[in-house]
Amino acid sequence: MSGSTHNKRTLNEDEDNVVAEEIFKPDLSHEFNRKFEDLLVRLKNNLSISRDVILDEEIKRAKMVETEDDISFLKYITSLYVLRDLSLQGWIFNISDKGLMLRMENDNLDNKSTIRYRLSAEKNAQFSVPAIRKFILSMETPREHNGEIVSIKNLIGNKDELIKFINHGEQVCCPYIQIVTEDKDEFTGISLYDIWRYFRYTWSIPYKTMPGRNLFYLVRDSRQKYHPVIGIFALGNSVLNLTSRDDDIGWTVESIRQNLSKKIGVTICDQKMSKSDGKVKVKIMHANESDDAYKMRITQFANTIMPLLEANIKNSINDIYVKDLNFHKQTKHPKQELIDKLLSLSLEFNRKAINNHNNEKNPDWLQETKSFLFLRKRSAELAKLLVALKVFNSLKGTCLDKLEELLSTENGRKAINTALIANRKCKIGSNMMDIIVCGSIPPYNDLLGGKLVSILACSPTVIRDYTKKYENQISVIASRMKGAKVIRDSHLVFLGTTSLYSLGSSQYNRLKIPCSNDFSLEFRKMGITEGFGTVYFSSETTRMFSKVLESLDGGKRINHVFGEGTSPRFRMISRGLKEIGINPSSYLKHHSPRIVYSINLAKNTRNFLLGIDDKPIYNFNIEDKDDIVNKTQELVDYWYERWLKMRLYSVDIVERLQKFDIDRFLLSNFI
């Protein structure tokens, strides 16, 4: 942005404690830049404890004398909202003659209490919303059901009952899984979704609804009268790009390159140092396969993967409506002039794609595909696929020759990536989900209820529920791209999730459940990601970004409709920061590393996701209800024997349960 200055410093050995450092200088008009400089003087001359109060006062003062019709004012007030959010996140303010420098330091950054504090501002803001306050109070207000007076308190485990069962050596709990529907709970008459929602508000991370495919579950205890809630979990759309996950599945160029490399083993041994009695540990690299075995393996791999890559490109082209794009699907050798024309059309339609809306109730798919939004998407996607097709068409020789040639050039690697993404988009949208909520509710957290909930998120019951719910679900984006109804395969084969803390999550760590001789459910650590997100930015700030962008664009480009792109809130905040002259890279980073976990739900998950296998192979019969119930119960029984029983003897569990105070747990304490 013209008029903005960014000064980013890279960490070195002398700055180990600094995670990020940025000049905060918004791109403001002369009038508002002067107001901003006056604000910095007030912030500098007051204690840091007064910072948030000063910012709030400036926001209120500015709103009293200005109107939101002025883009200069909108940028200024939005900058103040951003600055307030960053202050609440723990950014350190350093104000000098050069301006405002914001710094994030590493001290206790990954401490659980620090992360919870950084999340607390937006979480607490939720409880100030009248509708949410009303909801919480209504859930805690006693009501009559079947002649009894009940409330949400009846759905919180009775610690005295648990203690009695433990002391008498009885079955402590009898867990079962319940999908959240529009039905009411038979024991309290409370809506199942309201029960789930109430307990979700107890999480550290603020609660925001998620678009797309979702499944919500309660895990309950039939051992107690009202079947209290042991824990909750939810599945949501998988993240589109996650390198550690995609490398493992085989969806990246690097994973293909690794498959073509000779397998190397590492031996660690002691080696004497010359002129010394000391020894050092030495790594010795050696081949793990013979030349013949290596050649045979990579030839087989190339013979498998090359046809899949080519098929991905052709299938994706066939899934695009092209009659109005001057292209015929039988064209084997597309011309560069057509590709250039498509790219030009994409830019033209992008300018026209304002105030987008879709007909969700009774869509005419052919009409929908001709909207400016999908004209832009179709022309851009077709151009990208045709570029890759041209590269594939130029290849000669065996599959191995072709694959090695692709990997040797930048255009070849881009073509591979395009083919991999074409397949990945289909699978992520239909065969994969992320665990977006998962945890136990006190007092069951002391009984390792979190591990139980994590296990049941991978159960045959969930796989069956997902498959049945979405087996006839129309893929709205694919249908608008094709101009005709598209229904994807709905077999769930993969779950992913991330820990909130870099040290991992006790409910995921070492979680491996044998299900048969050749299959186990296992939460595998795939890597570490710092990740980007918007959870630390308030709803007020997001609303202001929306106003800024709408004013600049003459309409809304981000309308939260299918087809505009993934993560609309992230895109809005990222672009909004840029438009007010603020570098988004540091401020959208979580600055708290998280562990990426993956869970394969089928024996052939990887081959199915790559397209090698047409059908998943489960360790249960998805058409047999009894088998699903029995296999799910086996997971509960395994948890009970492997973890709960050990818990009863490894800690003073009764003492821990006695400390639980149900009244202090209620959400009304926070509103």
Side-chain angles (χ1 to χ4, degrees):
M1 295 288 296
S2 60
S4 67
T5 304
H6 299 307
N7 180 14
K8 188 169 184 176
R9 187 167 66 189
T10 319
L11 305 184
N12 57 44
E13 293 180 358
D14 297 326
E15 299 170 325
D16 290 340
N17 199 41
V18 180
V19 175
E21 198 168 41
E22 294 277 352
I23 284 285
F24 189 92
K25 185 174 176 57
D27 179 26
L28 303 173
S29 66
H30 177 74
E31 175 190 357
F32 286 103
N33 189 60
R34 181 173 49 79
K35 292 179 184 293
F36 184 73
E37 289 175 351
D38 291 342
L39 172 66
L40 292 184
V41 172
R42 296 203 301 276
L43 290 171
K44 183 179 181 180
N45 293 335
N46 284 272
L47 297 174
S48 59
I49 196 172
S50 305
R51 182 191 304 148
D52 297 338
V53 173
I54 293 172
L55 288 170
D56 282 334
E57 288 176 349
E58 176 63 12
I59 290 172
K60 291 178 182 177
R61 186 204 62 76
K63 283 186 172 182
M64 290 177 62
V65 297
E66 304 286 350
T67 67
E68 293 187 355
D69 295 334
D70 180 11
I71 184 61
S72 297
F73 168 71
L74 280 175
K75 286 186 175 184
Y76 176 63
I77 201 74
T78 304
S79 300
L80 298 182
Y81 274 114
V82 171
L83 201 54
R84 187 184 64 177
D85 289 347
L86 296 177
S87 173
L88 292 171
Q89 290 175 35
W91 286 81
I92 297 171
F93 285 40
N94 185 6
I95 303 171
S96 67
D97 294 340
K98 296 180 180 179
L100 172 60
M101 175 75 76
L102 295 183
R103 186 173 70 252
M104 178 65 74
E105 294 188 349
N106 199 38
D107 288 344
N108 299 319
L109 186 59
D110 195 41
N111 180 282
K112 289 186 178 182
S113 61
T114 302
I115 293 176
R116 287 171 179 158
Y117 171 77
R118 293 179 68 200
L119 292 165
S120 64
E122 182 64 3
K123 177 185 176 182
N124 293 337
Q126 289 183 136
F127 296 145
S128 66
V129 177
I132 295 177
R133 294 167 64 91
K134 181 179 179 181
F135 166 76
I136 290 172
L137 293 174
S138 71
M139 293 292 286
E140 296 180 11
T141 300
R143 68 191 75 185
E144 184 177 350
H145 178 70
N146 290 341
E148 295 187 22
I149 302 300
V150 296
S151 73
I152 193 66
K153 289 179 68 173
N154 295 85
L155 295 173
I156 300 172
N158 186 320
K159 68 176 182 182
D160 296 326
E161 288 283 291
L162 293 172
I163 292 171
K164 181 184 73 173
F165 297 147
I166 292 170
N167 288 336
H168 291 178
E170 300 179 33
Q171 179 87 5
V172 179
C173 59
C174 296
Y176 68 94
I177 186 174
Q178 182 179 31
I179 190 170
V180 173
T181 64
E182 296 179 356
D183 295 340
K184 292 183 181 291
D185 174 41
E186 62 176 301
F187 304 102
T188 61
I190 303 174
S191 157
L192 291 176
Y193 178 72
D194 284 347
I195 295 170
W196 189 94
R197 180 186 172 200
Y198 180 91
F199 288 122
R200 174 60 182 84
Y201 278 127
T202 66
W203 256 238
S204 297
I205 298 178
Y207 175 42
K208 299 184 185 298
T209 57
M210 299 288 288
R213 298 186 176 196
N214 287 285
L215 285 176
F216 302 89
Y217 285 90
L218 302 171
V219 178
R220 306 184 67 171
D221 180 11
S222 64
R223 188 78 170 88
Q224 295 192 24
K225 179 178 179 181
Y226 295 98
H227 292 207
V229 176
I230 295 174
I232 64 172
F233 68 91
L235 306 184
N237 291 340
S238 284
V239 176
L240 190 59
N241 299 299
L242 194 57
T243 302
S244 57
R245 175 202 67 192
D246 297 343
D247 277 340
D248 183 69
I249 293 172
W251 279 342
T252 63
V253 174
E254 181 58 30
S255 65
I256 291 179
R257 194 198 310 274
Q258 288 296 322
N259 273 294
L260 292 185
S261 300
K262 187 174 252 188
K263 293 182 179 179
I264 301 296
V266 179
T267 301
I268 299 177
C269 62
D270 292 331
Q271 180 173 307
K272 288 185 178 182
M273 296 179 64
S274 61
K275 300 180 183 180
S276 171
D277 294 332
K279 294 181 178 180
V280 294
K281 297 289 185 183
V282 177
K283 290 183 179 179
I284 299 177
M285 315 292 286
H286 54 84
N288 253 5
E289 57 185 342
S290 67
D291 290 343
D292 288 343
Y294 166 63
K295 189 68 175 179
M296 181 180 297
R297 178 178 62 79
I298 64 173
T299 299
Q300 291 175 345
F301 173 75
N303 289 343
T304 299
I305 204 70
M306 269 305 299
L308 290 175
L309 295 175
E310 293 170 339
N312 291 344
I313 296 295
K314 293 174 182 177
N315 291 339
S316 294
I317 291 174
N318 287 333
D319 283 340
I320 297 175
Y321 181 80
V322 297
K323 289 183 178 180
D324 55 352
L325 297 179
N326 196 31
F327 175 77
H328 299 284
K329 291 182 179 179
Q330 302 306 316
T331 303
K332 294 183 178 180
H333 300 282
K335 295 181 179 180
Q336 186 62 44
E337 302 93 272
L338 172 61
I339 295 173
D340 293 338
K341 177 62 176 176
L342 289 170
L343 292 173
S344 176
L345 286 173
S346 176
L347 292 174
E348 177 187 342
F349 295 135
N350 184 55
R351 290 191 292 270
K352 296 179 179 179
I354 298 289
N355 301 322
N356 303 307
H357 67 277
N358 296 329
N359 184 348
E360 303 295 350
K361 292 185 178 181
N362 188 27
D364 179 328
W365 299 117
L366 187 56
Q367 182 180 351
E368 294 280 308
T369 199
K370 294 180 179 180
S371 68
F372 288 134
L373 174 60
F374 280 89
L375 276 166
R376 174 187 65 79
K377 287 182 68 68
R378 288 190 291 118
S379 54
E381 184 67 13
L382 182 58
K384 183 168 62 175
L385 291 168
L386 294 182
V387 168
L389 181 60
K390 279 174 62 68
V391 174
F392 278 97
N393 285 342
S394 68
L395 301 173
K396 296 179 181 179
T398 66
C399 287
L400 181 57
D401 294 334
K402 293 178 179 179
L403 196 54
E404 289 179 332
E405 183 178 345
L406 287 171
L407 289 170
S408 68
T409 66
E410 180 65 23
N411 287 338
R413 291 188 291 272
K414 286 182 178 179
I416 292 177
N417 192 50
T418 298
L420 291 171
I421 291 175
N423 172 58
R424 187 177 70 193
K425 286 193 296 188
C426 295
K427 299 298 185 182
I428 284 180
S430 55
N431 304 118
M432 303 170 64
M433 295 285 274
D434 280 350
I435 303 174
I436 56 175
V437 175
C438 186
S440 63
I441 304 300
Y444 290 97
N445 56 327
D446 284 323
L447 299 176
L448 298 182
K451 283 194 181 294
L452 171 66
V453 177
S454 303
I455 293 169
L456 288 176
C458 314
S459 65
T461 297
V462 171
I463 297 171
R464 184 273 318 275
D465 290 346
Y466 176 88
T467 300
K468 295 302 179 184
K469 180 176 181 178
Y470 293 113
E471 62 183 351
N472 295 314
Q473 178 90 8
I474 297 172
S475 178
V476 293
I477 295 180
S479 298
R480 288 184 171 96
M481 291 291 284
K482 191 169 185 174
K485 182 170 66 175
V486 175
I487 298 176
R488 303 282 194 204
D489 176 89
S490 65
H491 288 92
L492 185 63
V493 300
F494 178 98
L495 291 179
T497 192
T498 58
S499 64
L500 184 56
Y501 313 110
S502 67
L503 295 177
S505 171
S506 59
Q507 65 187 29
Y508 300 144
N509 289 344
R510 300 182 301 279
L511 202 55
K512 183 177 181 179
I513 308 97
C515 298
S516 62
N517 292 332
D518 58 348
F519 180 69
S520 296
L521 284 173
E522 180 180 4
F523 281 71
R524 297 185 300 131
K525 292 182 180 180
M526 307 309 302
I528 301 290
T529 178
E530 279 198 27
F532 291 82
T534 62
V535 68
Y536 296 117
F537 286 95
S538 69
S539 299
E540 290 175 310
T541 306
T542 306
R543 183 179 67 84
M544 295 311 302
F545 278 135
S546 179
K547 286 182 172 293
V548 168
L549 297 179
E550 186 175 353
S551 178
L552 291 171
D553 295 336
K556 285 189 176 182
R557 290 194 181 277
I558 301 175
N559 301 274
H560 298 262
V561 301
F562 287 113
E564 286 186 329
T566 59
S567 305
R569 191 169 189 266
F570 181 90
R571 287 185 289 112
M572 178 182 293
I573 293 177
S574 179
R575 188 181 161 217
L577 285 168
K578 291 178 183 177
E579 293 293 352
I580 64 173
I582 302 300
N583 182 7
S585 59
S586 286
Y587 302 129
L588 284 172
K589 262 194 175 182
H590 293 307
H591 294 299
S592 51
R594 300 177 178 188
I595 297 178
V596 179
Y597 295 92
S598 72
I599 310 97
N600 292 340
L601 303 179
K603 298 178 181 180
N604 62 335
T605 288
R606 187 173 181 276
N607 281 353
F608 180 77
L609 292 177
L610 285 173
I612 297 172
D613 293 349
D614 293 330
K615 294 183 178 180
I617 303 172
Y618 297 117
N619 72 307
F620 62 92
N621 184 350
I622 199 168
E623 301 298 332
D624 187 333
K625 292 183 179 179
D626 290 338
D627 192 32
I628 289 170
V629 170
N630 292 336
K631 289 290 197 307
T632 300
Q633 185 59 43
E634 286 177 10
L635 297 179
V636 174
D637 295 341
Y638 185 84
W639 165 82
Y640 197 98
E641 294 294 323
R642 168 66 177 81
W643 281 289
L644 179 56
K645 281 190 174 181
M646 290 181 62
R647 183 71 162 178
L648 299 180
Y649 300 106
S650 62
V651 300
D652 190 344
I653 193 65
V654 171
E655 181 180 340
R656 293 193 180 194
L657 289 171
Q658 286 173 336
K659 292 180 180 178
F660 174 64
D661 185 344
I662 188 173
D663 290 321
R664 294 182 63 183
F665 173 71
L666 296 176
L667 288 173
S668 55
N669 292 303
F670 306 99
I671 64 174

